[in-house]
Amino acid sequence: MKAVVWTGSGSPDVLQLRDLAKPTPKNNEVLIRIHTTTVTSGDCEIRGLTGLSWYSLPLPVYVGLRRPSRITILGMELSGVIELVGDDVKQFSEGDQVFGATGFVGMGTCAEYMCLPEEPEGGALAVKPANMTHDEAAAVPVGAPEVFRFLRQATAQSGERVLINGAGGTVGMFAVQLARYFGAEVTAVYRKNKLDLLRSIGANQVIDYARDDLTKYCVSYDVIIDMVGKTTFSSIVGVLAESGRYLIANQTVSRMLRGR
């Protein structure tokens, strides 16, 4: 099979297209022929071992100090078709179209095939909805569930005003769509180049953070979700409604504070 192999930390030049042996599933695993995967900012940070936070300092030790050893193929999201199932697998059958997230320990979706446990540690695997293409489904497994959890944590409700900082990123764009689905009025904050796109997916208002200071707006928001950690409670409290909820959110750490 073809796979993009991670040979060392650095620029995209450390990635090499190679021929590898097709894997064989264990008793609790399925073999998936991958149709679509994604390349996220997280994949790029892991590849270069750059932009990592304090909680990811042990990462170079885990993957290999000199060159990757435990993880040699990047990628955490996939959509594809199950080709083989292990003897102990109960939930899936050969031919099932599935989508899922591998979790950090099981990275390896940048390949034609991979084996995944029926219940991946730190990830998930499910039958792909029939009304979604493989390309659409592959982008869902990491960002959408995280956003759903954040919105539940912030108890976002129909009719409330929700401000999403960092709305143009992978997770932020799901936040805009899900908040609108819940009936909220959404203000999306991002760079100018994605403001039209954010309007097209449901944002009621958009703010270009490079031009406008959102803390100067005469608007009170019931929920403020910072997807990129660029605000503080003290800087944002002026536009937070009484009893409003302010959530600093990312895929590893989330913290919520309430307004006055």
Side-chain angles (χ1 to χ4, degrees):
M1 71 170 186
K2 299 288 186 182
V4 178
V5 177
W6 180 31
T7 63
S9 62
S11 72
D13 293 335
V14 303
L15 303 175
Q16 297 181 6
L17 182 64
R18 294 182 180 175
D19 288 306
L20 300 179
K22 185 176 176 180
T24 301
K26 299 176 183 177
N27 287 342
N28 68 328
E29 292 181 336
V30 296
L31 174 67
I32 303 170
R33 177 167 53 84
I34 297 174
H35 185 285
T36 306
T37 186
T38 63
V39 178
T40 67
S41 58
D43 292 316
C44 297
E45 290 172 356
I46 292 171
R47 183 204 71 227
L49 299 180
T50 59
L52 303 176
S53 304
W54 64 268
Y55 52 78
S56 52
L57 289 178
L59 179 61
V61 177
Y62 178 79
V63 301
L65 289 174
R66 294 186 177 180
R67 62 178 181 271
S69 55
R70 283 192 177 91
I71 298 174
T72 56
I73 301 174
L74 298 176
M76 288 186 283
E77 295 178 302
L78 65 87
S79 185
V81 180
I82 292 179
E83 191 165 287
L84 289 173
V85 298
D87 292 340
D88 297 336
V89 172
K90 306 298 184 185
Q91 301 178 56
F92 302 104
S93 302
E94 294 178 12
D96 283 349
Q97 297 192 27
V98 295
F99 71 130
T102 66
F104 173 72
V105 174
M107 294 180 75
T109 63
C110 292
E112 288 185 292
Y113 292 89
M114 79 170 302
C115 293
L116 267 184
E118 188 173 19
E119 297 181 356
E121 181 181 352
L125 187 65
V127 173
K128 180 182 71 66
N131 62 347
M132 295 182 73
T133 67
H134 285 295
D135 291 353
E136 292 168 339
V140 171
V142 172
E146 289 297 317
V147 167
F148 189 79
R149 177 170 64 87
F150 297 149
L151 291 171
R152 282 289 183 88
Q153 185 177 358
T155 61
Q157 301 175 33
S158 177
E160 290 191 320
R161 289 177 171 173
V162 175
L163 181 134
I164 300 168
N165 191 42
T170 301
V171 182
M173 293 182 72
F174 280 116
V176 171
Q177 295 172 84
L178 286 173
R180 289 288 289 129
Y181 175 79
F182 290 145
E185 180 181 320
V186 177
T187 297
V189 182
Y190 205 70
R191 294 189 295 269
K192 180 181 179 181
N193 64 319
K194 283 193 176 179
L195 297 187
D196 288 340
L197 175 60
L198 290 167
R199 289 190 188 94
S200 73
I201 63 173
N204 301 94
Q205 293 87 32
V206 294
I207 295 176
D208 176 2
Y209 72 79
R211 189 188 68 179
D212 300 318
D213 183 354
L214 65 90
T215 66
K216 303 299 182 182
Y217 279 69
C218 297
V219 178
S220 292
Y221 296 98
D222 302 290
V223 177
I224 298 175
I225 303 179
D226 187 347
M227 294 294 178
V228 290
K230 297 297 185 180
T231 62
T232 63
F233 184 70
S234 59
S235 69
I236 211 76
V237 68
V239 292
L240 187 64
E242 185 174 351
S243 299
R245 287 84 71 201
Y246 168 64
L247 183 68
I248 301 174
N250 61 50
Q251 293 179 18
T252 305
V253 178
S254 66
R255 180 166 62 95
M256 188 174 71
L257 300 171
R258 292 188 176 272
R260 52 199 180 280

